[in-house]
Amino acid sequence: MADTEKKLTELHELLAEHFLDQLQNGNVSASDVSNMLKFLKDNGINAASIKNPKLAEIADTLSSSIDDDTLAEIETGLFRGAGNGR
């Protein structure tokens, strides 16, 4: 069980690093941003509770790297999916 937990922890860290690299390189689509926002939400990351430095960096970079139109499009999609158990 400890081996599985270690692997999941490593996977989580690699995914956070991947998202951060994408944002820093400016190589993100609306779908990528949606996935990143879901990742942050699934990890309990919001403006009031940022504890993990890597996740906090993703949140900071994400908030400054997308324009208002893209954000509105993503939020609309997230709210639409919320009623479907996503």
Side-chain angles (χ1 to χ4, degrees), residues 1-78:
M1 188 69 152
D3 189 43
T4 299
E5 188 173 319
K6 182 179 175 185
K7 287 178 183 178
L8 291 173
T9 299
E10 184 178 348
L11 177 61
H12 188 271
E13 184 176 322
L14 289 171
L15 184 57
E17 289 176 13
H18 172 74
F19 282 152
L20 189 56
D21 287 343
Q22 279 185 291
L23 286 168
Q24 290 172 335
N25 292 325
N27 185 23
V28 292
S29 66
S31 176
D32 293 331
V33 173
S34 180
N35 288 330
M36 291 175 199
L37 290 172
K38 182 172 179 353
F39 179 74
L40 293 171
K41 181 180 177 184
D42 289 351
N43 284 279
I45 304 302
N46 58 45
S49 63
I50 296 181
K51 298 173 184 142
N52 182 307
K54 287 188 189 274
L55 295 177
E57 193 173 349
I58 291 170
D60 289 343
T61 305
L62 182 59
S63 68
S64 65
S65 67
I66 57 174
D67 59 50
D68 291 338
D69 292 338
T70 302
L71 183 59
E73 181 180 324
I74 292 165
E75 288 174 342
T76 300
L78 288 176

